[in-house]
Amino acid sequence: QVQLVESGGGLVQPGGSLRLSCAASGFIFSSYTMRWYRQAPGKERELVARITAGGDTYYEDSVKGRFTISRDNLLNTVYLQMNSLKPEDTATYYCSVTIATRAYWGQGTQVTVSS
């Protein structure tokens, strides 16, 4: 079955960096677009970044120039490198894949940006 396991979250000071990882299994990872979402308390879940099977990327405006999404098809892992973190980046971050119209989600990893 499809499994997505995020890791790498934590507490970081403003201006700091974190790298999130999402280990995938149960499907042909290299064939699918992978997405990172985030959800802050009291807010809707929002798309942060995505990377296609071919490596094309998209970023939400507020993270452009600060976050980088990448993938390793040998390790079946998608990454989100987050630099210059701001308090407003505080959220639970989820990776996701849609297969045959069904969306699959990981359990999420918490990112807290605070001094």
Side-chain angles (χ1 to χ4, degrees):
Q1 67 276 26
V2 174
Q3 285 193 315
L4 301 169
V5 180
E6 301 98 334
S7 61
L11 173 64
V12 62
Q13 292 186 343
S17 298
L18 284 174
R19 188 175 82 152
L20 306 184
S21 300
C22 172
S25 61
F27 63 101
I28 304 173
F29 178 80
S30 59
S31 297
Y32 290 91
T33 295
M34 298 298 298
R35 295 174 173 86
W36 282 100
Y37 288 79
R38 66 185 178 188
Q39 187 167 21
K43 294 188 176 182
E44 293 187 355
R45 192 171 295 190
E46 64 173 355
L47 177 66
V48 175
R50 68 167 179 255
I51 184 165
T52 68
D56 294 331
T57 58
Y58 160 85
Y59 299 95
E60 191 269 329
D61 284 346
S62 70
V63 308
K64 283 182 181 176
R66 300 188 298 122
F67 290 12
T68 303
I69 189 171
S70 62
R71 65 191 300 157
D72 186 328
N73 289 337
L74 293 179
L75 295 179
N76 288 356
T77 301
V78 60
Y79 303 97
L80 187 67
Q81 177 67 44
M82 306 187 295
N83 299 328
S84 302
L85 282 161
K86 304 175 181 180
E88 50 264 43
D89 296 317
T90 295
T92 302
Y93 285 71
Y94 301 89
C95 69
S96 179
V97 64
T98 297
I99 301 172
T101 74
R102 176 178 173 178
Y104 296 84
W105 301 88
Q107 82 288 351
T109 186
Q110 177 66 37
V111 172
T112 302
V113 185
S114 175
S115 54

